[in-house]
Amino acid sequence: METMRIYVACLASYNAGRLHGEWFDLDDWQDADSLYDAVKEQVLLTSPYPNVMVECRACGGDGINPNEADSVCKTCHGSGEVPSAEEWAIHDHEGFPEGSVGEYTSFSRLYEIKERLEEAEEEFGDDGQEILAAFEYCFGDNDASISTIREAYRGKYDRHSDFSMEFAIETSGINEDSPYFMFIDWDHVWQGQDQFAFSEHDGHYFWSDWS
């Protein structure tokens, strides 16, 4: 699966006309909380345009040097607080399905998307992301499980006529040796019958009544 990563920018810096941010690879962080901690450490606390005061991470806010109990914290100088930027936004991303990530998509949502794509690729192989994208194009962004999508999925075909022919062979017992097989207009079969039972996008076909 393609590496999934985001570029997180400091909004205070951006609004001041300066680009300040970092790329974050989701594989480098265990979950949304650990990713957010990294964003605070690497982007917000290092902002050239801090606009809030936050608890000093070095001393935990008590102002005491953690390595020298009798001296003040060297990071916050005993105040227990340090300057930081407050807001961030996702200004770029790679490896995510088109349209799935916006400026303010939560980090927990990013990991939900990642987990779902991993499940899809485990189920469908290299076509997993493409199949999942086709399913969501047909039926919208929904909570259908990957196993449900597997049950709904009918395969990939170059043309509607190819799908209709294969489906007829599979379900009706007709085959190339059947009388008049060569005269069947499979495009007409799709238009007159199959398109009402199946949905398709990018060559991927699904039962329409999967729910």
Side-chain angles (χ1 to χ4, degrees):
M1 187 171 73
E2 185 179 352
T3 298
M4 304 177 75
R5 62 187 194 134
I6 56 173
Y7 183 85
V8 182
C10 165
L11 282 184
S13 300
Y14 181 79
N15 291 335
R18 180 170 173 178
L19 184 61
H20 175 73
E22 295 285 346
W23 279 99
F24 294 90
D25 184 337
L26 265 62
D27 285 334
D28 291 340
W29 314 102
Q30 183 177 0
D31 52 28
D33 289 339
S34 59
L35 174 58
Y36 181 55
D37 284 342
V39 168
K40 288 192 291 186
E41 186 74 29
Q42 299 179 40
V43 177
L44 300 182
L45 286 169
T46 61
S47 172
Y49 294 94
N51 54 6
V52 294
M53 298 297 292
V54 299
E55 180 181 281
C56 176
R57 297 168 65 87
C59 67
D62 60 15
I64 305 299
N65 189 329
N67 300 316
E68 300 176 20
D70 295 331
S71 63
V72 299
C73 174
K74 296 180 180 179
T75 300
C76 66
H77 306 292
S79 70
E81 293 183 323
V82 293
S84 172
E86 184 176 22
E87 297 179 307
W88 55 268
I90 299 173
H91 280 185
D92 202 358
H93 59 84
E94 295 178 354
F96 288 87
E98 184 177 356
S100 65
V101 179
E103 278 193 312
Y104 304 107
T105 301
S106 69
F107 292 162
S108 59
R109 177 56 181 161
L110 297 180
Y111 278 93
E112 289 174 1
I113 295 171
K114 182 176 182 293
E115 181 179 1
R116 190 165 171 80
L117 288 176
E118 289 172 343
E119 291 178 2
E121 293 208 351
E122 183 176 347
E123 179 68 39
F124 296 106
D126 292 340
D127 290 336
Q129 183 168 339
E130 185 177 303
I131 292 171
L132 179 59
F135 182 85
E136 293 180 347
Y137 180 91
C138 291
F139 306 109
D141 188 4
N142 56 72
D143 295 327
S145 67
I146 298 302
S147 60
T148 296
I149 296 174
R150 162 56 74 185
E151 293 175 1
Y153 188 54
R154 297 299 306 173
K156 184 175 184 179
Y157 297 85
D158 292 333
R159 294 177 294 273
H160 293 321
S161 57
D162 292 339
F163 170 79
S164 289
M165 182 180 70
E166 289 294 331
F167 183 70
I169 291 173
E170 177 183 340
T171 60
S172 69
I174 192 173
N175 57 58
E176 294 181 5
D177 296 325
S178 301
Y180 309 114
F181 180 89
M182 64 181 297
F183 299 107
I184 297 175
D185 183 343
W186 294 108
D187 281 318
H188 183 71
V189 173
W190 168 261
Q191 295 168 8
Q193 174 180 293
D194 291 344
Q195 69 170 330
F196 302 107
F198 299 95
S199 299
E200 177 273 339
H201 177 67
D202 201 21
H204 296 284
Y205 290 77
F206 306 89
W207 283 106
S208 292
D209 61 349
W210 58 269
S211 60

